[in-house]
Amino acid sequence: MKTNKILISISITSLFFLTLVSFVKSPKNDLVYTQQKKWIAPPSADKIINPLKADPKAAASGKKLYVAMCFVCHGPKGKGDGMGGAGLKPKPTDLSSAGVQSQSDGAIFWKIAEGRAPMAGYKNSIPERKRWEIINYLRTLKK
């Protein structure tokens, strides 16, 4: 019962936070990349190296962060079917899809940092190390 209250509280807080920060504008130098129909990170993002790639504990920590920050829209298995994403356009991405999984860690890192409406950018709210941990967890969602 207490766990359910905590999860509901986290989900509501996350949804409120996402709504609040979704109005943040992207920097002008990346505007082209954030306004595309198909979301493509700039080529420079592919050069960003994941410093936690070989850290086996990073995915476990990333899962906790995913549940707190991403679960509400992307759903329990990353399929884009979270309750917070039901009314969003575009719909949240299926993070387990081949299209996402084939992207470089750097491209995913850039997308988490910069965001694109309706997804907020998390550059200022999730520390860099924690974003890498989330990416390591996302790699466990492969179909």
Side-chain angles (χ1 to χ4, degrees):
M1 182 72 174
K2 189 173 185 178
T3 303
N4 286 342
K5 286 183 180 180
I6 292 171
L7 286 175
I8 291 170
S9 155
I10 289 172
S11 295
I12 291 171
T13 303
S14 296
L15 185 58
F16 174 74
F17 178 75
L18 288 172
T19 303
L20 185 64
V21 296
S22 67
F23 297 102
V24 175
K25 293 185 179 179
S26 298
K28 289 187 180 197
N29 60 342
D30 289 330
L31 194 58
V32 170
Y33 293 102
T34 57
Q35 290 183 338
Q36 302 165 348
K37 283 194 181 240
K38 182 176 180 186
W39 195 10
I40 301 170
S44 60
D46 290 328
K47 296 175 185 163
I48 304 170
I49 304 298
N50 182 345
L52 303 179
K53 193 165 191 105
D55 183 349
K57 295 179 183 177
S61 178
K63 182 176 183 177
K64 292 175 188 173
L65 291 161
Y66 175 87
V67 168
M69 301 296 294
C70 314
F71 176 95
V72 69
C73 291
H74 288 282
K77 296 187 184 206
K79 304 273 187 211
D81 58 354
M83 67 177 184
L88 296 178
K89 289 189 182 184
K91 295 285 186 199
T93 299
D94 178 351
L95 301 171
S96 68
S97 71
V100 171
Q101 294 293 326
S102 66
Q103 294 177 43
S104 70
D105 286 354
I108 297 170
F109 182 83
W110 181 88
K111 289 178 178 184
I112 292 170
E114 298 301 324
R116 178 180 83 164
M119 183 177 137
Y122 293 99
K123 185 188 318 184
N124 297 320
S125 57
I126 300 177
E128 188 173 317
R129 178 179 177 84
K130 299 298 182 185
R131 284 181 266 149
W132 286 120
E133 290 173 356
I134 292 170
I135 291 166
N136 284 9
Y137 172 68
L138 296 181
R139 294 302 186 196
T140 70
L141 299 176
K142 292 179 186 172
K143 286 186 179 179

